[in-house]
Amino acid sequence: MKVAVVKYNAGNICSVDYALKRLGVEAVITADKEELQSADKVIFPGVGEAETTMNHLKATGLDELIKDLRQPVLGICLGMQLMCRYSEEGGVDCLNIFDVDVKRFVPQKHEDKVPHMGWNTIGQTNSKLFEGFTEEEFVYFVHSFYVPTCDFTAATTDYIHPFSAALHKDNFYATQFHPEKSGKTGEKILTNFLNLCR
């Protein structure tokens, strides 16, 4: 199985690569069109700022390439947000794979800290990414922007208010949290993704 990780100006590519290596998978980290199109699975990671990253994707043609992929694709954190329609971070139009906007967290009371950082539970899971889950599991988040619950929501988390912890549409899967930093639960999610059929 060929697994490709999209290479662009994202901050967590190495940690995704290490997590895959722990699962016995040697991924190719690439921005090459043919390599991405021929991969069995594609991971679209991301730590960074939405507007800057979208400008880079557009300048390199990766924006159209990612939208046209037909194999299972997993967006992570900023990767998930960039797969949405629009982000309030920089006021930028994104890939519009998921027809929903990314919002900024607004604290409602003194103890609400932004970014939402650390371990939190995911619930209401309804995607093959979460096959074998029998209860709420803890995963690791770091984000100041969120995707509201919507028709594509595949898991939810509550911080300040409920939001989408994961999304799914056709061959596109995405997590707001970092499976590569989420211990055994994250490994299970990555394994489920790797086991998906085309």
Side-chain angles (χ1 to χ4, degrees), residues 72-96:
V73 178
L74 176 63
I76 297 174
C77 196
L78 179 62
M80 169 170 140
Q81 295 181 3
L82 295 178
M83 292 163 91
C84 295
R85 179 175 55 211
Y86 170 87
S87 177
E88 289 185 355
E89 185 178 23
V92 64
D93 291 327
C94 299
L95 299 176
N96 199 25

Side-chain angles (χ1 to χ4, degrees), residues 76-170:
I76 297 174
C77 196
L78 179 62
M80 169 170 140
Q81 295 181 3
L82 295 178
M83 292 163 91
C84 295
R85 179 175 55 211
Y86 170 87
S87 177
E88 289 185 355
E89 185 178 23
V92 64
D93 291 327
C94 299
L95 299 176
N96 199 25
I97 293 166
F98 301 109
D99 189 19
V100 59
D101 293 348
V102 179
K103 306 287 188 180
R104 181 188 298 273
F105 272 127
V106 178
Q108 303 297 309
K109 47 189 185 294
H110 177 70
E111 57 265 33
D112 293 339
K113 305 297 183 189
V114 178
H116 171 216
M117 184 163 62
W119 296 87
N120 205 337
T121 55
I122 52 172
Q124 297 179 303
T125 53
N126 61 356
S127 162
K128 289 183 178 178
L129 282 184
F130 308 106
E131 214 161 71
F133 283 41
T134 56
E135 57 186 28
E136 288 191 338
E137 301 279 358
F138 279 91
V139 291
Y140 190 79
F141 290 88
V142 184
H143 60 122
S144 299
F145 295 79
Y146 70 94
V147 178
T149 55
C150 61
D151 290 344
F152 311 109
T153 299
T156 61
T157 294
D158 199 321
Y159 185 76
I160 301 179
H161 42 68
F163 66 89
S164 295
L167 300 172
H168 175 216
K169 175 189 176 186
D170 302 327

Side-chain angles (χ1 to χ4, degrees), residues 37-41 70-72 171 196-198:
Q37 288 174 330
S38 66
D40 299 300
K41 305 286 189 308
R70 293 292 173 258
Q71 65 273 66
N171 59 308
L196 289 171
C197 296
R198 274 185 177 272

